[in-house]
Amino acid sequence: SRQEHPPHPPLMHVLLLVAWLAGVCRGFEDPLEGSEGEEGARVYSVDPMSGAFFAEVAGEGEPTPVNLVPQDGTTTQDVLQFTSLAELIQYMGRSCVACQLSLESTDFFIDSPIAKFPRTNFQLDGAGATVHFMGTASAALAAARAACNQDLLLFEKSEQRGGKYRVDVSGTAVIFQPNTENVSIQNLRLKLNRQAGGFSSMTNFTNITIHNVEILDVPMASYAVNFVAFQNVTQTHFVIDNCTVNSRGFGINLAARSGHSSNHTIASNTLVQTVGHAILFSGVGYSLITSNNVSNVNLLPPPADRFGHGIAIDGNAGLDPVNYVVVQGNRVDTVYGYNHLRDKYEGIEIADGIFNVMVQDNYVANVELGYGIYFGGGLSHSVGAVIKGNYISNVYDYGVRIENRNATDPHYTSNVFVYNNTIVGCSPAGIYTGRSSANVKIFQNTLANSGNLTGVADAPTCMNCTKRGNVANGKAPPDIWDAPFMFFSDYSD
């Protein structure tokens, strides 16, 4: 049924007129009625609207002109025309209070990021459409800067400087507005032309879902998904499932930097060819990573201080601890790097301030000069892990490693249960308990051609560690590893 909305108060008319006079609303001739903009685009009022809408191609060109067609039960009956799908969605971002938008199943070309995605009770169904981002990397970066704190430098190592965190923030094609709530995007193909990342937010949100979306051609130093919660920012209940990521940059990054980020689900996605972590939780708790397929994770020279893991759970050197994360039923195949430094590439890394994590029934294979599964930290200890039922194969370092490598941290990495894992062809050892490890139970694991149960004779003794019912057969393979494919094979459409 048609919803009734109260008219704008007089103050709103005054504000719109002031914005028009100040030149903020480019191309407005009359902010309350349809008009021709500077480039021929029509600009419309921002009266509240709701209901179902359809976006159809209205002509040829790049960007692609589109019509916004109301469906039954909408509060707006007029067909509106826009110069691009980005302009259309941003118009809905200013006016929608509860809308559903379906796209024509075809190709849409946009030349600018969607910086004001609708924020409340909005559903976008791509219906199999492909959105091509034809803008520039600099434009995407400028939009990202405008959408968050300008003082945040982009793409720097995570560290505190002058009371502010500098983290990996990149230009993306879609930027969620502050206080986004109950927004979903599904059945869409997003081709980024190696100029921008996919989706980002540095502000409050709850209940964002991305389902069955292909995020393709992410460039280096960008992300398929990049959500960061800074101080006084809360981000909760993000779900990304059944999506495909093809990235020359990073994959899915969820981070808290003095903010709060929790209750997220990363499920049944395929991530291919990421430079750096495919999936990263940093400071994120009470969340699930399950049934994802990760392959070809790597690093390029020369940055010797960079890391590239299949799945990484990180407590940001203990500054943003992680509580209660489950990593279950994932497949991580082929993790390697070109700087050939040990410990930089791992199948699943859980480090530096992690408390209570379950790592169960994962498949990890073909890891060069790193670990299959790592629990502990180089900068801070971790406490509480169950590592159970995993299959780890062809890892040219330890299959499972547990330790606290920070000599200045007086605490132990402790309370770890390593149970019923199968470890095949790992060198120099299948399971290794390193320095400052305590209360570790290693029960009923099977090691084939993976050396001893624990290696490195001069390693400090694990305190109060128990080994029971394990089987170890065969010798460890030689410490040689060759990447089985060429770097960056083309992604097939």
Side-chain angles (χ1 to χ4, degrees), residues 173-484:
V174 177
I175 304 170
F176 293 104
Q177 295 191 71
N179 303 314
T180 289
E181 183 176 4
N182 301 328
V183 167
S184 67
I185 301 169
Q186 64 181 6
N187 305 326
L188 184 67
R189 206 165 191 239
L190 186 59
K191 297 201 73 171
L192 298 163
N193 198 31
R194 297 176 186 147
Q195 295 298 310
F199 303 88
S200 67
S201 173
M202 307 288 144
T203 55
N204 295 325
F205 71 72
T206 185
N207 292 330
I208 294 177
T209 298
I210 301 175
H211 169 74
N212 193 30
V213 173
E214 293 183 71
I215 309 169
L216 308 178
D217 299 330
V218 178
M220 290 184 186
S222 291
Y223 298 82
V225 175
N226 189 34
F227 294 157
V228 182
F230 292 102
Q231 189 172 9
N232 301 321
V233 170
T234 297
Q235 299 181 341
T236 65
H237 296 94
F238 169 62
V239 176
I240 179 168
D241 70 306
N242 292 100
C243 294
T244 297
V245 172
N246 172 243
S247 176
R248 293 196 177 188
F250 297 85
I252 300 169
N253 176 55
L254 305 184
R257 294 291 180 263
S258 296
H260 177 80
S261 183
S262 68
N263 293 288
H264 307 303
T265 300
I266 315 296
S268 303
N269 303 287
T270 298
L271 297 99
V272 183
Q273 298 183 173
T274 62
V275 178
H277 310 308
I279 300 174
L280 171 62
F281 280 1
S282 182
V284 173
Y286 299 93
S287 295
L288 172 66
I289 301 173
T290 184
S291 304
N292 299 284
N293 190 342
V294 174
S295 62
N296 196 356
V297 177
N298 52 76
L299 285 178
L300 288 175
D305 62 342
R306 290 252 313 270
F307 294 85
H309 307 316
I311 297 173
I313 312 297
D314 184 81
N316 188 31
L319 296 174
D320 295 293
V322 172
N323 291 279
Y324 300 105
V325 170
V326 175
V327 182
Q328 183 174 28
N330 302 282
R331 182 182 180 93
V332 179
D333 193 344
T334 308
V335 182
Y336 67 100
Y338 284 86
N339 51 22
H340 296 289
L341 298 176
R342 285 190 180 275
D343 308 340
K344 297 297 184 181
Y345 338 105
E346 292 157 19
I348 300 174
E349 185 234 32
I350 301 164
D352 295 327
I354 312 301
F355 299 91
N356 302 311
V357 64
M358 168 80 76
V359 185
Q360 181 174 350
D361 297 334
N362 300 283
Y363 174 97
V364 178
N366 302 317
V367 180
E368 178 199 27
L369 300 177
Y371 315 124
I373 297 174
Y374 178 86
F375 181 75
L379 299 172
S380 182
H381 69 289
S382 298
V383 177
V386 175
I387 302 172
K388 175 184 177 183
N390 302 283
Y391 183 91
I392 304 167
S393 172
N394 196 28
V395 175
Y396 280 87
D397 213 311
Y398 302 102
V400 175
R401 181 165 182 156
I402 301 157
E403 67 181 349
N404 174 17
R405 284 183 284 179
N406 185 357
T408 64
D409 183 352
H411 301 93
Y412 283 80
T413 285
S414 60
N415 300 346
V416 184
F417 187 25
V418 184
Y419 170 69
N420 198 30
N421 300 282
T422 300
I423 301 173
V424 179
C426 298
S427 173
I431 302 173
Y432 172 59
T433 51
R435 74 171 311 279
S436 295
S437 55
N439 300 328
V440 179
K441 294 181 179 180
I442 303 174
F443 290 178
Q444 299 180 18
N445 299 281
T446 300
L447 286 71
N449 296 324
S450 295
N452 299 321
L453 186 62
T454 57
V456 186
D458 60 352
T461 302
C462 180
M463 182 180 294
N464 192 28
C465 294
T466 307
K467 305 170 190 175
R468 184 182 304 158
N470 302 286
V471 177
N473 297 313
K475 296 181 179 180
D479 196 2
I480 300 171
W481 197 94
D482 294 315

Side-chain angles (χ1 to χ4, degrees), residues 145 149-156 161 165-169:
R145 283 186 170 135
N149 191 328
Q150 296 261 5
D151 293 333
L152 297 175
L153 300 182
L154 304 188
F155 196 66
E156 295 287 341
R161 295 194 181 184
Y165 281 101
R166 306 199 311 173
V167 301
D168 299 348
V169 182

